[in-house]
């Protein structure tokens, strides 16, 4: 579900803004670090979990407004270089602010330890993350499918010129899409922090997986991103149960296999 | 002055000046620190560098009246990159003495370079092959033998937990993990330990949930991890998240000590037992001075990585002193059988295998309420220095120069 969350955010940005956001992994890491800072400041995990992604969304607004917006006319090369450079800057800023040494952050007391599910033993916090990420994916999908602004956003993915000609402020749409994408990356990072801990390079692995999800689902296809995130998660879990060492390789094997059969991805049309 | 005169003057100056430069270059001793700045051990390389630099600075960057030029190269935690950069430093910079890298698998490849290029090489890590089946005259091993480590950990853990006989192992799948696993099982036989599971994971693994799920299903009395650095931290965190610790003990058989423990919160460290090549409360004059200086410079106490680099450099410099020479064969001969009272107390280099014989530490982490300060992680339960028994020794002939 976390993969779906990351893929959905990246797919939204890729679809609406038509740029490859290489800073998505760094935003994921910033979300985790914001969580720890917020929890240490307010002393409550749940408030921290709310504040952290909001902070990343604000950061996303600033990035889009001050940087990405100026490069829409410049072409893909510049956008790619900008987001790549931004990822490096954010990574270094994490080291400057929080230090190079990894940090562990505990789940809230209520969700510590594991539960015996009969057929297996599983941590309570991971079960919570599964449910929370599922609800977030559902909420995002409902927003995109059932609200007016969601419809505008989907229309923006299909045909930006037409949306603009209908009198809709396309730049604001871009900014909002980037902020929502950043929010989803931020909350994925915050939810992951107690599971994986925090380290400056934590976004790098997740960025790779997020791009796999986007490519597998079909570039810019939101439903595809959700389906691909689930497919990869399930494939990884199944393989890990029988052949643990191959659990990472299977992510890329699934992508290679699907793209060989459907180069446009599961739900892609381009 | 004509153009021809200027050229003649220039040629004369060059003729006079260059030999002086060459003489100066011949006098300096170039020592290479092959420390990873990228790859799986990117976080460890800078710490190694700190320790090595401190040992050289204590000598004011000089040995036997000659200036020491300390150069470093990033091996990227990869055999290909490490060997290529080591060769470049040897051929291009004139390095004749080399310490590092940190990964056992990579070090085995670098050791072959040392042999081929006839360069003195010091290494610290968990593979037994450097001072075992692939031993040769040019490479030395600083870390305790995996047997010494296994014996110290298993004997002392079982002394404290005699009923914990069902062990599940999580092992890093490379030279270091294989060596230590072999001896843990070997020593475990003597205690009647049943190994209910042993899963291997790749170096750089960060997702341990599947491994821990399997471990939990085996219902062990104890989980023992034979991995290092980020792998060990991720594993310990996941074992805690699954609720295994603190209910059952977790052993980190071969840990860096401080660098890993500092990344784990006190709750995760509860019922954590740690084997390590160095712990900063080591009660020797050299260790106390080193720890004091290190803390003044870097705030945190040193763990295994800086301490190993520091001690290897000091040991190598002691070899220079004893040899009264900066020639590689002389220093090697001087190091063979050398006995020093240094960082870990009495330390001796076995001339037959180039294995450093020294104590290994076994710690028990303190509960949060017993910690006197934030960095007061553990008590030293015991130290052990049982050397590898002859029947296991695979270095039959250290060879010639």
């Amino acid at each position: 579900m976390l993969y779906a969350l990351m893929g959905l955010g990246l797919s939204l940005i890729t679809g609406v803004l038509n740029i490859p956001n290489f800073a998505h992994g760094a935003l994921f890491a910033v979300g985790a670090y914001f969580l720890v800072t917020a929890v240490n400041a307010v002393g409550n995990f749940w408030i921290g979990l709310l504040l952290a992604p909001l902070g990343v969304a604000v950061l996303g607004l600033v990035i889009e407004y001050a940087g990405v917006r100026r490069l829409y006319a410049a072409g893909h090369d510049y956008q790619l270089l900008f987001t790549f450079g931004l990822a490096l800057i954010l990574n270094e800023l994490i080291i400057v602010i929080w230090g190079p040494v990894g940090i562990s952050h505990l789940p809230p007391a209520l969700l510590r330890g594991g539960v015996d599910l009969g057929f297996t033993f599983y941590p309570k916090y991971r079960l919570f993350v599964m449910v929370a990420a599922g609800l977030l994916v559902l909420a995002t999908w409902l927003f995109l499918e059932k609200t007016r602004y969601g419809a505008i956003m989907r229309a923006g993915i299909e045909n930006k010129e037409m949306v603009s000609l209908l009198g809709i402020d396309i730049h604001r749409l871009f900014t909002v899409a980037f902020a929502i994408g950043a929010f989803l990356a931020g909350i994925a990072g915050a939810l992951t922090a107690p599971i994986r801990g925090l380290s400056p390079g934590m976004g790098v692995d997740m960025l790779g997986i997020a791009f796999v999800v986007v490519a597998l689902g079909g570039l810019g296809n939101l439903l595809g991103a959700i389906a691909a995130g689930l497919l990869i998660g399930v494939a990884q879990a199944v393989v890990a149960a029988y052949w643990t060492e191959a659990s990472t390789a299977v992510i890329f094997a699934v992508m290679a296999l699907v793209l060989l059969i459907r180069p446009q991805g599961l739900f892609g049309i381009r | 002055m004509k153009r021809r005169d200027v050229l003649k003057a220039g040629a004369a100056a060059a003729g006079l000046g260059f030999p002086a430069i060459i003489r100066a270059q011949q006098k300096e001793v170039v020592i290479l620190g092959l420390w990873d700045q990228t790859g799986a051990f990117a976080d460890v390389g800078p710490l190694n560098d700190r320790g090595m630099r401190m040992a050289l600075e204590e000598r004011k960057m000089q040995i036997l009246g000659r200036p020491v030029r300390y150069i470093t190269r990033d091996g990227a935690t990869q055999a290909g990159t490490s060997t290529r950069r080591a060769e470049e430093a040897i051929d291009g910079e004139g390095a004749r003495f080399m310490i590092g890298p940190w990964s056992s698998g990579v070090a085995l490849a670098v050791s072959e370079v040392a042999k081929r290029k006839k360069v003195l090489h010091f290494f610290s890590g968990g593979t037994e092959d450097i001072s075992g089946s692939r031993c040769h005259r040019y490479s030395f091993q600083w870390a305790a033998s995996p047997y010494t480590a296994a014996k110290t950990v298993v004997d002392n853990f079982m002394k404290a937990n005699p009923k914990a006989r069902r062990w599940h192992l999580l092992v890093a799948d490379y030279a270091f993990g294989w060596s230590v696993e072999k001896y843990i099982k070997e020593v475990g036989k003597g205690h009647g330990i049943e190994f209910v599971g042993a899963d291997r994971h790749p170096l750089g693994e960060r997702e341990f949930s599947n491994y821990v799920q399997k471990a939990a299903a085996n219902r062990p009395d104890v989980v023992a991890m034979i991995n290092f650095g980020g792998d060990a931290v991720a594993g310990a965190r996941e074992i805690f998240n699954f609720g295994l610790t603190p209910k059952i003990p977790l052993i980190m058989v071969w840990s860096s000590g401080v660098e890993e423990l500092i990344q784990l919160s006190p709750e995760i460290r509860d019922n954590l037992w740690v084997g390590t090549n160095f712990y900063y409360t080591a009660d020797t004059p050299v260790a106390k001075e080193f720890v004091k200086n290190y803390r003044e410079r870097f705030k945190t106490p040193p763990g295994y990585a800086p301490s190993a680099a520091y001690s290897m450099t000091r040991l190598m410099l002691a070899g220079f002193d004893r040899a009264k020479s900066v020639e590689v064969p002389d220093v090697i001969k001087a190091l063979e059988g050398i006995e020093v009272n240094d960082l870990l107390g009495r330390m001796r280099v076995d001339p037959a295998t180039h294995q450093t014989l020294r104590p290994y530490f076994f710690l028990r982490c303190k509960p949060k309420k017993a910690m006197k300060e934030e960095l007061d992680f553990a008590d030293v339960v015991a130290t052990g220095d049982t050397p590898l028994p002859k029947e296991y020794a695979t270095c039959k002939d250290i060879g010639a120069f």
Side-chain angles (χ1 to χ4, degrees):
Chain A
M1 270 299 173
L2 278 172
Y3 295 163
L5 210 54
M6 277 296 281
L8 191 59
L10 186 59
S11 202
L12 195 64
I13 293 173
T14 308
V16 177
L17 282 74
N18 200 24
I19 66 162
N21 181 24
F22 277 89
H24 210 67
L27 293 172
F28 168 85
V30 170
Y33 278 94
F34 275 6
L35 172 88
V36 172
T37 306
V39 172
N40 288 341
V42 300
N44 184 302
F45 178 84
W46 305 105
I47 297 174
L49 191 60
L50 185 72
L51 291 178
L54 286 175
V56 181
V58 171
L59 182 64
L61 280 174
V62 175
I63 290 168
E64 200 283 335
Y65 191 79
V68 176
R69 176 171 293 200
R70 294 162 203 279
L71 297 170
Y72 289 131
H76 267 70
D77 294 350
Y78 289 89
Q79 294 163 352
L80 192 148
L81 282 172
F82 175 76
T83 57
F84 192 74
L86 186 68
L88 295 176
I89 291 168
L90 287 174
N91 206 40
E92 291 303 312
L93 277 176
I94 287 173
I95 293 172
V96 169
I97 297 168
W98 288 283
V101 179
I103 302 169
S104 285
H105 188 77
L106 297 178
L110 182 71
L111 298 175
R112 284 181 204 166
V115 282
D116 199 340
L117 299 174
F119 62 99
T120 188
F121 199 78
Y122 213 71
K124 290 179 202 164
Y125 184 74
R126 277 189 183 251
L127 289 172
F128 160 73
V129 168
M130 234 185 272
V131 175
L135 289 175
L136 276 164
V137 167
L138 183 68
T140 311
W141 185 78
L142 286 174
F143 164 73
L144 292 167
E145 287 291 325
K146 305 289 179 194
T147 67
R148 186 170 178 276
Y149 210 77
I152 293 172
M153 216 163 256
R154 282 185 289 120
I157 293 173
E158 292 299 322
N159 195 329
K160 292 174 189 56
E161 287 77 17
M162 184 60 77
V163 171
S164 198
L165 284 171
L166 290 171
I168 290 160
D169 186 346
I170 195 83
H171 285 299
R172 184 185 290 172
L173 181 73
F174 288 174
T175 310
V176 172
F178 201 96
I180 293 173
F183 177 89
L184 292 173
I187 200 156
L191 285 168
T192 307
I195 298 173
R196 291 263 184 114
L198 296 88
S199 60
M202 65 185 291
V204 178
D205 291 343
M206 199 44 116
L207 177 69
I209 294 172
F211 269 111
V212 167
V213 170
V214 170
L216 193 58
L219 291 179
N221 191 298
L222 304 174
L223 189 63
I226 297 170
L230 289 173
L231 175 67
I232 287 211
V234 170
Q236 194 178 22
V238 170
V239 169
Y242 298 99
W243 188 16
T244 321
E245 294 85 344
S247 60
T248 302
V250 74
I251 295 173
F252 301 97
V254 168
M255 180 181 76
L257 194 69
V258 171
L259 293 185
L260 275 174
I261 300 163
R262 276 185 67 84
Q264 70 274 41
L266 291 172
F267 293 80
I269 48 167
R270 49 182 162 151
Chain B
M1 200 180 211
K2 290 177 183 170
R3 188 175 61 91
R4 192 175 296 269
D5 295 333
V6 174
L7 288 173
K8 278 180 188 170
L16 289 170
F18 281 150
I21 293 166
I22 291 164
R23 278 197 299 276
Q25 284 174 338
Q26 282 170 341
K27 275 181 71 178
E28 71 182 9
V29 178
V30 183
I31 303 181
L32 167 67
L34 191 58
W35 305 129
D36 303 313
Q37 307 294 322
T38 52
F41 286 144
D43 54 335
V44 185
L47 304 176
N48 294 130
D49 177 60
R50 285 177 181 178
M52 188 163 174
R53 207 173 280 278
M54 281 179 72
L56 291 170
E57 283 172 0
E58 281 177 2
R59 298 287 197 106
K60 299 187 170 37
M61 303 301 278
Q62 286 200 329
I63 186 69
L64 301 174
R66 295 178 183 230
V68 169
R69 187 154 66 91
Y70 170 49
I71 59 170
T72 60
R73 292 290 183 273
D74 171 20
T77 329
Q78 287 176 0
T81 310
S82 296
T83 51
R84 198 170 60 247
R85 291 195 176 150
E87 288 197 44
E88 175 268 313
I90 293 164
D91 296 337
E93 301 280 350
R96 310 301 304 157
F97 303 90
M98 171 167 67
I99 302 182
W102 198 238
S103 159
S104 290
V106 178
L108 285 167
V110 170
S111 173
E112 291 303 313
V113 173
K115 186 181 179 184
R116 197 171 70 246
K117 296 281 184 181
K118 300 188 183 303
V119 168
L120 195 160
H121 170 225
F122 240 110
F123 162 74
S124 180
T127 175
E128 62 176 335
D129 294 343
I130 293 269
S131 55
S133 61
R134 288 165 69 175
C135 69
H136 59 77
R137 207 67 191 272
Y138 291 91
S139 281
F140 290 82
Q141 166 70 281
W142 181 86
S145 145
Y147 179 85
T148 307
K151 181 92 177 132
T152 306
V153 168
V154 176
D155 284 358
N156 289 295
F157 180 81
M158 291 311 290
K159 200 170 158 190
N161 305 272
K163 289 181 182 167
R165 286 170 194 270
R166 287 170 57 82
W167 286 40
H168 184 98
L169 302 181
L170 282 176
V171 184
D173 195 9
Y174 65 108
F176 141 70
W178 307 331
S179 294
V180 182
E181 181 187 359
K182 182 172 93 179
Y183 291 121
I184 286 282
K185 288 183 170 170
E186 204 61 41
V187 178
K189 277 184 205 163
H191 291 277
I193 292 172
E194 180 194 356
F195 292 95
V196 292
D199 277 327
R200 289 183 171 180
H201 66 79
L203 176 64
E205 182 63 87
R206 294 295 176 268
E207 177 53 66
F208 275 87
S209 60
N210 303 306
Y211 300 98
V212 180
Q213 238 170 342
K214 284 170 84 173
N218 284 333
R219 312 227 175 248
D221 297 329
V222 54
V223 177
M225 293 198 302
I226 307 168
N227 51 14
F228 191 82
D231 293 1
V233 170
R237 189 186 295 120
E238 201 60 28
I239 287 166
F240 172 81
N241 281 343
F242 268 77
L244 266 67
T245 49
K247 275 186 222 152
I248 63 166
L250 169 66
I251 306 173
M252 286 181 178
V253 177
W254 186 282
S255 167
S256 67
V258 170
E259 283 88 12
E260 285 160 21
L261 299 179
I262 204 168
Q263 296 185 51
L264 299 169
S265 44
E267 291 84 353
I268 300 176
R269 294 197 301 262
D270 195 2
N271 211 3
L272 177 62
W273 304 68
V274 179
T276 181
N277 275 285
F278 179 77
Y279 192 60
Y280 76 95
T281 57
D283 192 16
T284 70
V286 177
K288 283 183 173 163
E289 187 64 18
F290 170 59
V291 171
K292 180 172 142 289
N293 293 337
Y294 190 94
R295 288 189 87 157
E296 274 171 15
R297 284 179 73 165
F298 306 112
K299 309 297 177 221
T300 58
Y304 166 35
S307 311
Y310 176 78
S311 182
M312 281 191 281
T313 311
R314 280 177 64 96
L315 204 48
M316 186 186 271
L317 295 175
F320 281 100
D321 291 338
R322 193 181 188 206
K324 296 185 174 56
S325 164
V326 295
E327 297 303 318
V328 170
D330 296 339
V331 180
I332 288 175
K333 282 184 210 157
L335 280 170
E336 290 173 339
I338 195 171
E339 192 166 332
V340 291
N341 197 356
D342 204 78
L343 188 74
L344 309 171
R346 184 175 169 270
M347 302 167 72
R348 191 168 73 83
V349 176
D350 181 355
T353 62
H354 285 192
Q355 169 67 50
T356 306
L357 305 171
R358 32 67 52 88
Y360 192 75
F361 296 76
F362 189 54
L363 323 171
R364 179 172 191 181
C365 288
K366 292 182 176 183
K368 195 174 182 177
K369 57 179 187 275
M371 291 168 64
K372 290 185 192 122
E373 50 146 338
E374 199 189 346
L375 301 170
D376 181 23
F377 300 117
D379 288 316
V380 178
V381 176
T383 59
D385 57 5
T386 313
L388 182 72
K390 288 246 179 319
E391 64 264 31
Y392 296 128
T394 50
C395 177
K396 302 296 180 197
D397 179 11
I398 195 78
F401 289 116

